[in-house]
Amino acid sequence: PCASRRRNLRSSRGSFMLLIALLLSVVSVVEAEDVPKKHSEGEQFAVAGYFPEWRYLHGGTDWDAISEHVTHLIIFSIEVAPNGALAAMDRFPNHAEMSKARAAAAKWGTKLLICFGGNARTHGFPKMVSSKETRAAFLANLVGLIDRAGLHGVDYNWEYPQTREDWMGLKALLVETKAAFKGTGRVITMAYYPDTRQERLLADLKVAEECDLLHMMSYDQPGRHSTWDFAVKTAAQGVAILPPATLTLGLPFYARHVRTGDWKTYEELVKVHADKLAKNADEIEGYYFNSPKMI
């Protein structure tokens, strides 16, 4: 079952509520007291949030408010080049923002991760994972970035491996990432598309042996893009195939138009339709989203 923390979510702070996706554990139930405290190392209930660059690049981010409510904050995202170099570094937070992020993460015990990939940001993966040399080059660059920035790990969001060579290369990358992180306490997470095919591939490759969390992308479907029924379906098929303790369920903090697929943040909807949005509303003017009641 899913669990929720008994803290007052500061929903008026857009920087928290507009995480690109909030990922909730589909397993162990752990409740917290109302008194703010650090996330426990032994906590089995994960709340991981993807935080897109357009939310922090111009400053003013309330990293404290975000870190209070997530166990893993995933900076979304930069890319990998085919030769293993780090690309799109202009999307990475500047020194001042990273200092604030580290301070907030330390205060709340939140883990800061850097994401590689996302939609249209994964072109470098196939070539990079294809050889030990390019994987080694990438991992040297990754470890260097993590050391300099004071991060706690990495998230891989390859959309999507296509060939057997891609999947084998991904497995090798995960094994070698785990080896590079040995003894540091750093974490590895990975996103996947819940279509049962990917779950079976991940199971066959024993990917969960290398990853701390596997994030189901249980959103962005045609039509009503993230329904309760789809969440139940993806959770059930996930735990039937993969180790349940590694799985998270994806929740979108944005809307998509049921016909065009166009997206808007929940903040945008509130600004325009605040007088019409009830707590249990899940669609307005053709845009479907997960209501506060659903969340």
Side-chain angles (χ1 to χ4, degrees):
C2 290
S4 60
R5 299 181 184 280
R6 291 191 292 187
R7 293 196 183 110
N8 293 323
L9 299 184
R10 288 179 275 186
S11 58
S12 61
R13 300 193 180 189
S15 59
F16 168 68
M17 291 301 291
L18 294 165
L19 299 179
I20 198 70
L22 179 67
L23 301 167
L24 298 178
S25 172
V26 299
V27 287
S28 310
V29 177
V30 177
E31 294 185 347
E33 299 174 358
D34 290 332
V35 179
K37 63 180 181 180
K38 281 189 176 182
H39 307 303
S40 168
E41 284 293 330
E43 225 169 67
Q44 295 181 359
F45 181 60
V47 183
Y50 282 98
F51 196 49
E53 75 273 359
W54 49 270
R55 278 287 168 194
Y56 56 73
L57 283 182
H58 303 294
T61 299
D62 191 342
W63 294 97
D64 188 71
I66 301 166
S67 297
E68 179 181 356
H69 299 295
V70 296
T71 58
H72 300 70
L73 183 57
I74 304 171
I75 296 169
F76 185 89
S77 68
I78 60 175
E79 300 178 35
V80 58
N83 64 358
L86 307 186
M89 286 299 295
D90 57 318
R91 303 191 198 121
F92 193 77
N94 61 33
H95 179 74
E97 288 298 306
M98 276 308 305
S99 294
K100 296 174 187 175
R102 284 193 300 270
K107 175 181 176 180
W108 294 104
T110 299
K111 295 187 182 298
L112 289 173
L113 279 64
I114 180 61
C115 175
F116 286 86
N119 186 31
R121 296 181 175 186
T122 60
H123 304 301
F125 271 106
K127 180 66 175 177
M128 184 272 285
V129 303
S130 67
S131 77
K132 190 172 183 64
E133 291 73 25
T134 48
R135 293 194 304 269
F138 167 72
L139 288 171
N141 291 325
L142 170 63
V143 171
L145 174 63
I146 289 176
D147 287 342
R148 292 191 304 274
L151 300 170
H152 304 102
V154 65
D155 174 73
Y156 293 124
N157 192 340
W158 182 353
E159 298 184 25
Y160 302 97
Q162 298 295 320
T163 66
R164 175 176 172 78
E165 288 72 22
D166 285 350
W167 285 102
M168 296 302 293
L170 174 60
K171 170 67 175 183
L173 174 65
L174 292 170
V175 169
E176 291 162 11
T177 303
K178 186 175 182 178
F181 286 0
K182 186 176 181 179
T184 65
R186 290 168 176 167
V187 300
I188 304 169
T189 70
M190 193 191 102
Y192 74 89
Y193 183 70
D195 60 358
T196 68
R197 174 181 175 273
Q198 287 203 13
E199 286 96 332
R200 292 192 183 96
L201 285 165
L202 294 172
D204 289 345
L205 292 172
K206 298 182 179 178
V207 162
E209 293 181 358
E210 278 65 57
C211 292
D212 296 272
L213 295 173
L214 297 172
H215 305 312
M216 302 182 218
M217 299 172 65
S218 46
Y219 41 81
D220 288 349
Q221 293 294 292
R224 306 181 94 205
H225 79 110
S226 183
T227 63
W228 176 258
D229 288 344
F230 186 61
V232 171
K233 177 177 180 289
T234 56
Q237 69 194 34
V239 301
I241 301 171
L242 295 165
T246 65
L247 298 178
T248 64
L249 178 70
L251 303 179
F253 277 35
Y254 57 93
R256 283 197 181 276
H257 198 278
V258 295
R259 293 193 306 277
T260 67
D262 177 53
W263 70 277
K264 290 185 178 181
T265 65
Y266 185 69
E267 178 186 40
E268 289 177 284
L269 296 181
V270 170
K271 284 181 176 179
V272 177
H273 305 290
D275 57 330
K276 302 177 184 177
L277 280 178
K279 289 287 186 181
N280 61 348
D282 60 11
E283 189 173 327
I284 191 160
E285 294 190 355
Y287 283 89
Y288 175 82
F289 53 93
N290 289 169
S291 68
K293 183 178 179 181
M294 167 80 85
I295 299 297

